């Protein structure tokens, strides 16, 4: 069967490469005449059993899980550190490991929390099992665990293409300082959040005819905050024991200012989150309706949100005594993304199934967080409490006709409402663990990812300490 290269639309350098061979790129794919020229410019960076794309909560846990099952694993990450939204978006805390005080996510994700806690970089807030963390120690702990598992790291490397034989992935193409490189593998896990690999490979995506997406928020760290005050003591730690986590007193002050005509943009929360350092908090307040898969749209949103960060900081300084001396110590490497592409998988998890706690035969992970849908415009938010911890089926991690591709994290197959819970980090870690174990199992069984023995998968995951 013919091998074909599929490249991300507008991938840096590749358009020039194709054009220099006299053939334009079309629709995100190389025109036939450019194939040969491009292939000859891509150097092999090795053959692996499993290649994981994306080093966020889903990806780095997936890589550890697959490697511990005996697979030769590589992970590709465009930043110089692991952690995804936790470290590139300053999204805190890690939510939620427990439902009503009972832990429902275990195995490698929980081991990570314990290792981070031992480093002095995490505190678990019970009964919800939300985890406060130190951003820099998170990066260190994730990196140590991935390297200890024997995973080959490809950092500062962007996934920009893939090579396919029909619907089978042969290799992924990355771009870094070495130029263009390809990594071959038996199985691939897309943990890019945006489903970049699945999209390039041609996997059908969930329809979104209304083009509604939850907003993006640019988070930042404020220092000079009176974190010993009653206000911050109440709202900075999210155990659930004292009610909701949004800082209502500050919200009311900002809403009043807006009603009185202050020039303040729409906002969410605000939420003030511990970064485990006296005087500093991670702030989640800005919001913009934007599509993270469109570079121009996302760039414009990030520029506007950076302005907003400083407007809100000024408003807090002037109107909330606990923030009188605050300043922006750091903005996250990028704006946070709540929602973008999700695959149309063998099974799509619906909010009805999720809230009802349907216990699938092929359950591989769980979710404890309430459904938390932020309005794309305005300051609204819809919350639906779960009656019990939910389950995630393996079939939501795979698409129908793609025999060696799994997805993990927020790009799995679910409807918008189910995503509004499943997207939180502990859930993404649990899904990543399942994807890593399933990838290794499907190689051992020499079966397509759609045909593996899911009873054996559930049993392996249970033996690893998952609470499914
Ligand atoms: C504002 C905001 C607030 C939130 N609040 C909470 C909260 O309080 N608690 C909670 O638990 N969760 C929260 N979430 C949700 C959570 O952070 C994310 O849904 C979760 O991190 C998704 O995990 P992931 O591994 O699927 O993707 P990500 O965390 O997005 O990780 C994807 C990784 O892939 C890499 N990547 C992407 N594309 C490429 C590419 N082409 N090449 C190479 N690398 C690539 C990225 O750099 C990143 O490291 C929030 C999210 C936002 C945006």
């Amino acid at each position: 069967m013919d091998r074909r290269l599929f490249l991300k639309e507008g991938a840096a350098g590749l358009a020039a490469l194709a054009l220099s061979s006299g053939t334009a790129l079309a629709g995100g794919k190389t025109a036939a005449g450019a194939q040969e020229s491009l292939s000859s410019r891509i150097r092999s960076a090795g053959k692996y059993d499993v290649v994981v794309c994306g080093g966020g909560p889903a990806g780095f846990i997936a890589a550890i899980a697959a490697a511990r099952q005996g697979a030769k694993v590589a992970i590709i990450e465009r930043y110089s550190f692991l952690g995804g939204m936790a470290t590139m978006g300053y999204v805190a805390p890690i939510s939620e490991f427990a439902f009503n005080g009972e832990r429902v996510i275990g195995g490698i994700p929980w081991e990570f929390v314990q290792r981070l806690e031992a480093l002095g970089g995490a505190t678990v807030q019970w009964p919800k099992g939300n985890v406060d963390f130190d951003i820099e120690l998170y990066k260190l702990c994730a990196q140590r665990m991935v390297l200890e598992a024997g995973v080959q790291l490809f950092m500062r490397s962007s996934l920009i293409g893939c090579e396919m034989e029909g619907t089978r992935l042969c290799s992924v193409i990355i771009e870094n300082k070495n130029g263009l490189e390809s990594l071959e593998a038996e199985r691939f896990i897309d943990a890019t959040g945006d489903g970049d690999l699945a999209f390039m490979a041609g996997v059908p995506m969930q329809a979104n005819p209304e083009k509604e997406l939850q907003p993006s928020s640019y988070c930042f760290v404020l220092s000079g905050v009176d974190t010993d005050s009653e206000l911050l003591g109440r709202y900075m730690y999210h155990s659930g024991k004292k009610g909701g986590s949004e800082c209502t007193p500050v919200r009311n002050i900002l809403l009043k200012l807006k009603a009185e005509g202050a020039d303040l943009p729409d906002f969410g929360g605000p939420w003030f989150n511990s970064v485990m350092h006296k005087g500093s908090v991670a702030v989640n307040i800005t919001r913009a309706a934007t599509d993270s898969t469109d570079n121009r749209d996302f760039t414009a949103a990030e520029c506007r949100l950076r302005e907003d960060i400083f407007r809100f900081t000024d408003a807090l300084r002037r109107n909330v005594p606990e923030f009188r001396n605050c300043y922006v110590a750091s903005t996250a490497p990028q704006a946070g993304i709540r929602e973008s592409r999700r695959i149309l998988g063998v099974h799509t998890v619906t909010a009805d199934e999720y809230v009802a706690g349907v216990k699938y035969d092929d359950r591989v992970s769980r979710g404890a967080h309430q459904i938390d849908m932020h309005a794309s415009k305005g300051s609204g938010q819809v919350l639906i409490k779960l009656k019990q911890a939910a389950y995630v089926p393996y079939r939501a991690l795979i698409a129908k006709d793609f025999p060696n591709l799994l997805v993990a994290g927020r790009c799995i197959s679910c409807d918008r409402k189910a995503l509004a819970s499943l997207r939180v980090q502990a859930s993404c870690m649990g899904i990543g663990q399942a994807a890593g174990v399933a990838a290794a199992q499907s190689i051992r069984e020499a079966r397509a990812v759609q045909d593996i023995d899911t009873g054996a998968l559930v049993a392996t995951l249970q033996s690893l300490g998952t609470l499914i």
Side-chain angles (χ1 to χ4, degrees):
M1 196 181 286
D2 273 356
R3 282 195 175 195
R4 300 270 303 155
L5 268 175
F6 291 82
L7 299 170
K8 200 166 170 178
E9 213 160 328
L14 288 165
L17 199 56
L19 288 171
S20 72
S21 78
T23 318
L25 293 174
K29 297 169 185 178
T30 53
Q35 294 273 326
E36 211 178 312
S37 156
L38 281 171
S39 299
S40 67
R41 301 286 293 270
I42 300 169
R43 277 185 298 259
S44 170
K47 289 187 183 176
Y48 295 87
D49 295 325
V50 180
V51 166
V52 180
C53 300
F60 87 82
I61 296 286
I64 296 168
R68 288 190 185 175
Q69 293 291 305
K72 182 182 175 195
V73 181
I75 189 166
I76 297 162
E77 168 55 48
R78 65 186 158 169
Y79 289 110
S80 62
F81 49 82
L82 300 167
M85 277 303 153
T87 52
M88 74 186 188
Y90 293 180
V91 164
I94 306 172
S95 315
E96 281 174 15
F97 276 88
F99 188 81
N100 285 346
E102 188 187 332
R103 192 159 56 76
V104 293
I105 294 175
I108 300 167
W110 188 244
E111 182 188 331
F112 170 70
V113 171
Q114 290 180 310
R115 292 266 309 251
L116 192 52
E117 213 173 11
L119 283 175
T123 306
V124 185
Q125 300 290 343
W126 298 103
K128 281 197 165 188
N130 277 317
V131 181
D132 302 332
F133 60 90
D134 174 310
I135 296 167
E136 296 306 320
L137 287 173
Y138 186 123
K139 294 177 190 172
L140 181 70
C141 189
Q143 171 184 308
R144 279 186 185 166
M145 285 180 68
V146 165
L147 289 173
E148 280 167 19
V151 175
Q152 177 73 49
L153 286 174
F154 288 82
M155 306 302 281
R156 298 201 179 278
S157 299
S158 283
L159 169 77
I160 54 152
C162 59
E163 204 182 6
M164 310 275 300
E165 254 177 22
T167 54
R168 184 182 179 81
L169 276 157
C170 308
S171 66
V172 288
I173 317 296
I174 59 173
E175 185 191 32
N176 57 34
K177 282 282 185 183
N178 292 11
L180 297 176
E181 299 188 308
S182 75
L183 283 75
E184 285 180 59
E186 298 285 323
R187 301 290 180 273
F188 295 85
I189 299 175
D190 183 345
T192 59
D194 290 330
D196 282 2
L197 178 59
F199 180 69
M200 278 185 277
V203 174
M205 295 288 151
Q206 296 284 333
N208 183 8
E210 295 87 27
K211 298 212 180 306
E212 274 285 312
L213 293 169
Q214 289 196 62
S216 280
S217 300
Y218 216 145
C219 298
F220 54 103
V221 171
L222 278 183
S223 293
V225 178
D226 185 359
T227 47
D228 291 332
S229 61
E230 209 184 317
L231 181 83
L232 272 302
R234 157 65 184 87
Y235 288 103
M236 202 170 65
Y237 307 103
H238 308 294
S239 64
K241 277 194 282 209
K242 297 180 191 160
S245 44
E246 159 184 300
C247 187
T248 325
V250 173
R251 180 179 178 83
N252 291 338
I253 291 170
L254 295 175
L255 287 175
K256 184 162 176 279
L257 286 171
K258 262 171 90 75
E260 289 166 359
D263 181 23
L264 279 176
D266 290 334
F267 63 91
W271 295 272
F272 299 113
N273 305 309
S274 168
V275 289
M276 302 190 65
H277 293 284
K278 187 176 162 73
S280 295
V281 283
V283 184
N284 175 354
I285 185 169
T286 67
R287 56 169 49 179
T290 178
D291 177 359
S292 61
T293 64
D294 181 311
N295 176 268
R296 250 62 76 207
D297 192 39
F298 197 59
T299 301
E302 281 192 311
C303 287
R304 207 205 80 200
L305 291 176
R306 188 178 303 284
E307 295 283 352
D308 292 352
I309 286 172
F310 287 88
R311 285 160 83 186
F312 283 119
T313 301
D314 191 49
L316 290 172
R317 210 184 280 132
R318 286 170 191 272
N319 296 285
V320 187
E322 292 80 354
F323 289 83
R324 192 172 27 231
N325 300 314
C326 75
Y327 59 95
V328 178
S330 167
T331 57
Q334 67 158 80
I337 303 158
R338 290 189 174 84
E339 180 177 0
S340 59
R341 300 186 197 107
R342 296 183 310 288
I343 65 158
L344 187 61
V346 171
H347 183 83
T348 295
V349 180
T350 65
D352 287 347
E353 290 171 6
Y354 195 78
V355 174
V358 172
K359 196 171 179 181
Y360 314 92
D361 287 344
D362 63 340
R363 65 198 175 277
V364 289
S365 189
R366 304 195 72 180
H369 199 269
Q370 60 191 339
I371 289 183
D372 176 6
M373 182 83 95
H374 297 246
S376 56
K377 297 192 180 76
S379 297
Q381 186 184 10
V382 175
L383 296 170
I384 306 170
K385 283 206 182 320
L386 303 184
K387 294 187 194 78
Q388 62 275 301
Y391 290 91
V392 181
Y394 173 65
R395 286 161 296 152
L397 281 55
I398 51 174
K400 202 163 129 251
D401 295 316
F402 293 77
N404 64 341
L405 174 66
L406 300 109
V407 301
R410 70 174 171 83
C411 48
I412 69 163
S413 186
C414 57
D415 69 17
R416 293 196 65 221
K417 264 194 184 167
L419 172 75
S421 163
L422 271 174
R423 65 189 177 85
V424 295
Q425 296 168 71
S427 304
C428 288
M429 287 177 170
I431 295 167
Q433 170 166 252
V437 171
Q441 182 184 323
S442 80
I443 296 173
R444 264 198 318 273
E445 290 180 358
R447 289 190 191 157
V449 294
Q450 292 81 5
D451 300 329
I452 64 168
D453 177 349
T454 50
L457 174 64
V458 172
T460 308
L461 287 167
Q462 284 169 335
S463 74
L464 293 177
T466 59
L467 299 154
I468 51 174

